[in-house]
Amino acid sequence: MLTTWPPTLPVLQEGPKLFAQWVKEMTNEQLEIQVYGGGELVPALEAFDAVSQGTAEIGHGASYYWAGKIPAAQFFAAVPFGMNPQQMNAWIISGGGLELWEKVYAPFNLLPLPGGNTGIQMGGWFNKEINSVNDLKGLKMRIPGLGGKVISKAGGSAVLSAGSEIYTNLERGVIDATEWIGPYHDYMMGFYKVARYYYYPGWHEPGPNLEFFINKGAFSKLPSDLQQIVRNAAAKVHHWMLCEFESRNNLYLQKLIHEENVDLRPFPSEVLEQLRSYSEEVIGEIVRSDPQSRNVYDAYTSFRNQITPWADISEKIYYTKNL
Ligand code: CA
């Protein structure tokens, strides 16, 4: 198994390792999986091709990493101002999302399975205050994917840097801002030492759905009981990861605020409204130029519209009334 994560990254790399352990235990050691982090066998962002071609048999990552090759893939991970983790799960597992995702990956000889969720992320670390959209102009921010395209629309520049380089780039002023994940992982990265303001919410990643991708040839060679065990272990990881993030993030948020005196700020509503409008433009451009993206995004949107009236009088009202 190849993952896209640094070999020691908490939760994200722990999940695939637990997956291998659970598969081994459930199969009485009939099926053993060796897990390699990004860069250990192939560079992180080559995992998709390596599993597709059969160099490895299974991978773990996030489908927006493959947007350069398959633009539609990113809609199975995260959409700026899109669905939250619970809603993504409903779409993928019970709303037809997984069947669509299987069709998108089929030409690559891959079977996708949901493989975790980080929960809603943080907006990121900034070395200047963001009081209006004008403050985003000229801003050099490490922010990947659709979020990066949105920042570019706002007049900033989205810089790509590998996880290991972000801290130094921020410290040296190569970038003015970065997003990463949430308080737990951001604390581990030490960004509070080199950035002044910690903004919320993570409008660009409101609940990224992670993935396993399995070489179909390798999977088809397994007897059906082992196939079911692989599916079950993946489902267990999918559930476990979101629970880990939810249970730990506040512990580290409080450390950041009370021990490291981080200046925690909400993005102004006016900034979020403008970013939402730029997000619609960015997605519009993608779906107009790629029929498969249009198809997937239409399914995403119609599912979201279908569930929203219920969410409005349940989850949303529950939080806004501070119950
Ligand atoms: Ca992120």
Side-chain angles (χ1 to χ4, degrees):
M1 175 187 269
L2 307 175
T3 81
T4 56
W5 320 113
T8 56
L9 190 66
V11 190
L12 294 164
Q13 182 72 1
E14 283 176 85
K17 285 182 178 164
L18 280 171
F19 169 83
Q21 182 195 318
W22 290 332
V23 167
K24 185 177 171 183
E25 288 168 2
M26 285 193 270
T27 63
N28 285 315
E29 304 188 4
Q30 283 183 79
L31 186 55
E32 288 194 38
I33 299 167
Q34 274 84 48
V35 183
Y36 297 92
E40 290 191 311
L41 275 189
V42 302
L45 298 185
E46 289 174 22
F48 186 92
D49 285 346
V51 177
S52 172
Q53 290 155 12
T55 311
E57 287 148 329
I58 179 167
H60 188 270
S63 62
Y64 49 39
Y65 289 143
W66 326 124
K69 182 191 300 288
I70 320 166
Q74 57 201 328
F75 299 113
F76 300 107
V79 173
F81 299 95
M83 290 193 277
N84 70 19
Q86 168 159 307
Q87 296 171 333
M88 278 301 283
N89 281 340
W91 180 52
I92 300 278
I93 293 166
S94 303
L98 183 57
E99 289 78 4
L100 208 49
W101 195 3
E102 286 171 356
K103 281 186 195 148
V104 170
Y105 277 19
F108 301 90
N109 195 32
L110 292 171
L111 177 72
L113 292 173
N117 196 303
T118 68
I120 186 163
Q121 299 201 353
M122 281 294 286
W125 299 85
F126 293 76
N127 266 324
K128 60 187 273 196
E129 289 181 55
I130 305 299
N131 295 318
S132 79
V133 279
N134 284 333
D135 295 319
L136 297 171
K137 290 195 167 57
L139 185 87
K140 290 178 294 211
M141 180 169 184
R142 182 269 175 194
I143 174 169
L146 290 169
K149 291 196 166 79
V150 174
I151 289 295
S152 301
K153 277 239 182 266
S157 48
V159 179
L160 282 178
S161 19
S164 54
E165 295 163 6
I166 304 173
Y167 182 95
T168 314
N169 285 349
L170 199 53
E171 187 178 34
R172 294 184 184 162
V174 177
I175 52 175
D176 310 306
T178 186
E179 69 81 57
W180 182 234
I181 304 177
Y184 177 34
H185 287 74
D186 292 8
Y187 178 89
M188 301 286 180
M189 292 289 267
F191 294 136
Y192 57 87
K193 295 175 205 160
V194 286
R196 292 187 64 181
Y197 306 105
Y198 195 24
Y199 272 92
Y200 64 91
W203 55 271
H204 60 302
E205 293 191 274
N209 176 64
L210 306 174
E211 62 172 4
F212 289 97
F213 42 99
I214 308 175
N215 181 283
K216 283 185 143 183
F219 194 68
S220 69
K221 287 187 192 131
L222 294 177
S224 61
D225 57 341
L226 298 194
Q227 287 186 352
Q228 247 350 294
I229 285 173
V230 165
R231 288 181 181 277
N232 276 284
K236 191 173 171 184
V237 169
H238 185 59
H239 179 62
W240 174 84
M241 246 190 226
L242 183 58
C243 297
E244 286 292 301
F245 279 104
E246 188 67 14
S247 70
R248 292 177 195 229
N249 269 332
N250 185 56
L251 300 174
Y252 288 87
L253 179 64
Q254 298 311 315
K255 276 177 183 284
L256 287 167
I257 296 169
H258 299 295
E259 294 174 17
E260 309 304 340
N261 299 314
V262 162
D263 196 338
L264 184 70
R265 302 271 181 107
F267 285 118
S269 304
E270 172 250 338
V271 170
L272 288 173
E273 277 162 30
Q274 194 60 51
L275 289 172
R276 180 193 283 270
S277 153
Y278 289 140
S279 297
E280 284 165 9
E281 285 180 33
V282 163
I283 293 166
E285 286 163 14
I286 293 167
V287 301
R288 276 196 297 278
S289 63
D290 178 47
Q292 188 179 51
S293 291
R294 160 68 70 192
N295 187 31
V296 171
Y297 189 63
D298 280 355
Y300 177 102
T301 305
S302 79
F303 182 80
R304 188 183 194 187
N305 290 341
Q306 186 272 111
I307 62 168
T308 293
W310 164 240
D312 283 347
I313 63 146
S314 56
E315 263 200 297
K316 189 172 179 180
I317 207 78
Y318 186 83
Y319 287 121
T320 52
K321 296 283 184 190
N322 291 318
L323 298 175

